[in-house]
């Protein structure tokens, strides 16, 4: 028996070569398929959360049913496709907008409203505007 013929079918099974890992090929193919699936799901699926006190509006960007959906998206997790859908979140609680001279109450600048009369009188006042988006009226009609 020759030293260089060991493992190449020289008749002695003690020196036969065998495959190191028979399932390595399938593991690599499975990992590649999983990686492709994860990359595609990052582009085709998005997950967002509608917070308490908010309502979401689903807007269809493609197809015959383009525009705002009739049914508002409620509080919780939402899975959608960013290629064909957009979710916009609106608050349903009362918000107060203030235009005031007091720098501690709003922005650090003077947002007081003022008007001049015909006689050159200047009128200034602080204005507060409460707004609320009702959940029943939060549907956007197209």
């Amino acid at each position: 028996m020759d030293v260089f013929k060991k493992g190449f079918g020289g008749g002695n099974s003690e020196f036969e070569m065998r495959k190191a890992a028979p399932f390595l090929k399938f593991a690599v193919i499975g990992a590649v398929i999983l990686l492709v699936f994860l990359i595609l799901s990052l582009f085709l699926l998005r997950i967002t959360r509608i917070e308490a006190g908010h309502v979401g509006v689903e807007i269809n960007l493609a197809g015959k049913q383009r525009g705002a959906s009739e049914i508002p998206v409620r509080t919780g997790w939402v899975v959608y496709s960013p290629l064909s859908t957009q979710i916009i979140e609106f608050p349903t609680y009362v918000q107060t907008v203030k235009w005031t001279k007091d720098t501690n109450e709003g922005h650090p600048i003077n947002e007081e409203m003022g008007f001049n009369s015909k006689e050159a009188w200047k009128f200034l006042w602080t204005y507060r505007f409460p707004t609320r988006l009702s959940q029943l009226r939060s549907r956007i009609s197209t």
Side-chain angles (χ1 to χ4, degrees), residues 36-56:
V36 168
F37 176 74
L38 288 174
I39 290 173
L40 284 178
S41 67
L42 287 175
F43 291 111
L44 298 178
L45 291 176
R46 293 280 166 89
I47 299 173
T48 189
R49 183 175 154 190
I50 306 296
E51 298 291 333
H54 290 77
V55 67

Side-chain angles (χ1 to χ4, degrees), residues 105-138:
E105 202 169 339
H107 294 280
I109 60 172
N110 184 2
E111 295 180 324
E112 193 173 42
M113 290 188 152
F115 298 96
N116 293 331
S117 70
K118 199 189 268 188
E119 295 82 25
W121 288 79
K122 189 171 186 178
F123 297 99
L124 299 170
W125 74 85
T126 299
Y127 185 71
R128 295 176 189 208
F129 180 67
T131 61
R132 180 172 190 261
L133 180 67
S134 172
Q135 277 191 336
L136 297 175
R137 296 177 185 242
S138 63

Side-chain angles (χ1 to χ4, degrees), residues 43-128:
F43 291 111
L44 298 178
L45 291 176
R46 293 280 166 89
I47 299 173
T48 189
R49 183 175 154 190
I50 306 296
E51 298 291 333
H54 290 77
V55 67
V57 176
E58 181 180 4
I59 300 173
N60 296 320
L61 303 173
K64 291 182 180 179
Q65 300 293 328
R66 279 191 295 257
S69 176
E70 296 273 338
I71 302 168
V73 180
R74 301 288 178 196
T75 302
W77 293 101
V78 180
V79 178
Y80 65 100
S81 172
L83 298 176
S84 63
T85 308
Q86 180 181 10
I87 303 289
I88 299 177
E89 188 174 350
F90 293 101
T92 57
Y93 50 85
V94 175
Q95 293 179 330
T96 303
V97 181
K98 300 175 187 175
W99 290 283
T100 181
K101 184 177 182 179
D102 188 9
T103 58
N104 297 327
E105 202 169 339
H107 294 280
I109 60 172
N110 184 2
E111 295 180 324
E112 193 173 42
M113 290 188 152
F115 298 96
N116 293 331
S117 70
K118 199 189 268 188
E119 295 82 25
W121 288 79
K122 189 171 186 178
F123 297 99
L124 299 170
W125 74 85
T126 299
Y127 185 71
R128 295 176 189 208

